[in-house]
Amino acid sequence: MIQARHHRSEHRPARSSGHRWTGPLPAGRRPAAIRRAAARRAAMRRTAVHRAAAGRAPARRRARLAAVAPVLPGLPVLPVLSVLPVLPVLVVAVVVLVGVIGGAGVVWLPLLAAGPALAATTNGPRGVLCVGMLAGVLGVAQGLRDEVPGRELAAVLAALVAVTAASGLASALRGRRERVLAAVRSVAEAAQHALLKPVPDTVGPFQVAVRYSAAAAEARIGGDLYALVSTPHGVRLIVGDVRGKGLPAVGTAALVLGVFREAAYDEPDLLAVVGRIERSLARNLGPDDFVTAVVAGYPRPGRLEVVNCGHAPPLLISASLDVAPVEPTHPAPPLGLRALSGESPRLQCLPFADGDQLLLYTDGVTEARDHAREFYPLAEGVARHVCEDPARTLTALHDELLTHVGGRLHDDAALLLLRRGTPPGPPPPTATTPEPVTDAA
């Protein structure tokens, strides 16, 4: 009977409701909406996995990651974070196990307070309460087993309750600080996108790559600045370094970048752009503040203009991958100090052919020291890693720089690499077969 019902259900025709098919469909003939929904679900699962592997966890977990990473630099961060919430329970279990083996009774019971105290640094208030209750239950069981006097056992439990309450309050305050830190980080990321706008991979005829690292702890932006804009007067860029660090340096960097982006469109002469930045800084900076910068422009094919205002010389990389510094022919003072020196910057013109590259950087790169107090040899590093892909070149340089300093920079560092793309050549000629010539009849 059952077999008959199964047989009839297999051959029962599928019903349709309007234009919607309700019967089973082969995998290759499912409706497009169903296939798209399944693809979206699979993509969301893959994105979640990639974000977890890359460390892009929620903000609260990122705050814990930043607190744990300096303490445990040699361990992978994600496995450590997954073990930390269980650590207080392990501490309580070890104390109970030692008490059972040693049989000392009240000697080991006060150590149970280490469980909720440690949970305050790894769990929320609920986790602290659970660890405290677990420690209390196990403490009572062990005290009754070892026949601990009631007054001493009550004192141990009172201390355990007090530690649990204090740890729960500390955990709540820590969670609040983590939320505030996450909000500050989101504001810093928004400020970074407004101040140091992302540079596209291709601007006009150039391939571009940028790497930036702020030295301030938990910071996304610092005193180094860069910008690249495409204007009616050609592609123009600036890389600079503000004296000092912290919020005052960020404010000065915002001022310089704002004036540069405005003047780069308005002024046909690159020296006029530098002059407007100088006048703005003279009105707004203090007597001891200044900005070193390199301003460059590409007004027409094959011609590169550079104005160096007290900054480290850029590195010119030829198409044959030879590296040479672009030393200024007439050294000029940093921006903001022209009134003290009376010297004006000069325009330096360079040939810039197809395949040539220009690397601009800040002193946080060249002044980075290793444990032996040796500076990072940037020109040698460029010669080792330069290739036709600017992004890959800067990635290799940045990784080598972090290895040189031991993993963390002590000053803001910016790298901007510009490469003149090689125009595509004419298509190869195609071989044609001549048609046979026939005599007219």
Side-chain angles (χ1 to χ4, degrees):
M1 187 69 180
I2 296 176
Q3 294 177 353
R5 282 200 301 269
H6 284 319
H7 180 74
R8 286 195 300 271
S9 64
E10 291 176 357
H11 297 307
R12 184 179 302 164
R15 297 187 301 273
S16 62
S17 176
H19 296 287
R20 296 179 57 190
W21 180 263
T22 59
L25 288 176
R29 300 185 59 188
R30 292 176 182 173
I34 297 178
R35 292 198 302 270
R36 286 195 298 269
R40 282 196 300 269
R41 287 193 296 269
M44 291 173 63
R45 287 193 295 269
R46 289 194 300 269
T47 303
V49 172
H50 293 331
R51 286 182 176 176
R56 287 180 290 177
R60 187 171 179 179
R61 196 176 184 189
R62 289 202 304 269
R64 294 181 184 177
L65 184 149
V68 172
V71 181
L72 302 171
L75 297 178
V77 178
L78 287 179
V80 170
L81 289 179
S82 61
V83 171
L84 284 180
V86 189
L87 191 58
V89 178
L90 297 178
V91 171
V92 172
V94 169
V95 172
V96 172
L97 181 62
V98 172
V100 170
I101 296 175
V106 73
V107 176
W108 298 104
L109 288 180
L111 294 180
L112 291 174
L118 182 60
T121 63
T122 59
N123 295 269
R126 186 179 302 175
V128 173
L129 180 61
C130 292
V131 174
M133 293 177 60
L134 176 64
V137 171
L138 294 178
V140 170
Q142 186 176 357
L144 296 177
R145 173 184 174 277
D146 296 337
E147 299 180 356
V148 177
R151 182 176 297 178
E152 296 180 358
L153 183 59
V156 171
L157 292 179
L160 186 59
V161 170
V163 171
T164 301
S167 301
L169 178 60
S171 176
L173 294 177
R174 179 183 57 81
R176 181 179 179 182
R177 287 194 298 269
E178 288 180 353
R179 290 190 292 270
V180 172
L181 178 59
V184 171
R185 284 178 172 174
S186 64
V187 172
E189 291 175 356
Q192 181 190 30
H193 287 291
L195 180 59
L196 301 177
K197 295 181 179 180
V199 176
D201 296 335
T202 303
V203 178
F206 298 105
Q207 298 172 275
V208 188
V210 176
R211 291 291 181 275
Y212 179 79
S213 299
E218 309 297 339
R220 299 291 191 274
I221 52 179
D224 288 2
L225 57 97
Y226 62 86
L228 188 146
V229 292
S230 179
T231 71
H233 315 293
V235 175
R236 289 178 170 176
L237 63 144
I238 182 174
V239 170
D241 187 1
V242 179
R243 176 186 175 274
K245 298 182 179 65
L247 290 178
V250 174
T252 304
L255 174 64
V256 173
L257 290 177
V259 176
F260 169 77
R261 291 182 179 125
E262 185 71 19
Y265 280 92
D266 296 341
E267 304 291 346
D269 187 6
L270 194 63
L271 285 176
V273 176
V274 177
R276 285 182 57 171
I277 299 175
E278 174 69 32
R279 291 191 296 272
S280 179
L281 291 179
R283 292 192 301 266
N284 295 279
L285 289 188
D288 297 331
D289 296 329
F290 58 87
V291 179
T292 66
V294 172
V295 183
Y298 191 75
R300 59 177 182 267
R303 176 185 172 91
L304 181 68
E305 298 177 347
V306 178
V307 180
N308 193 328
C309 299
H311 198 75
L315 295 180
L316 182 62
I317 308 165
S318 65
S320 58
L321 305 184
D322 294 328
V323 182
V326 182
E327 299 288 350
T329 54
H330 296 85
L335 296 170
L337 299 180
R338 185 186 301 182
L340 299 178
S341 64
E343 298 181 3
S344 300
R346 302 287 185 89
L347 188 67
Q348 188 173 359
C349 300
L350 304 172
F352 202 68
D354 297 337
D356 289 349
Q357 304 182 53
L358 185 71
L359 176 64
L360 297 95
Y361 55 92
T362 59
D363 58 2
V365 178
T366 53
E367 295 180 2
R369 298 174 181 260
D370 59 6
H371 297 293
R373 309 299 295 171
E374 296 290 337
F375 292 112
Y376 175 68
L378 179 60
E380 299 176 8
V382 172
R384 282 192 298 269
H385 300 294
V386 66
C387 62
E388 294 183 356
D389 185 2
R392 190 170 63 180
T393 301
L394 287 196
T395 299
L397 279 176
H398 191 262
D399 293 344
E400 187 177 81
L401 178 64
L402 293 180
T403 304
H404 180 82
V405 300
R408 183 175 181 180
L409 294 170
H410 298 285
D411 193 7
D412 302 333
L415 292 161
L416 190 150
L417 183 57
L418 193 74
R419 182 180 185 272
R420 177 71 166 90
T422 304
T430 56
T432 57
T433 305
E435 296 182 0
V437 179
T438 58
D439 297 332

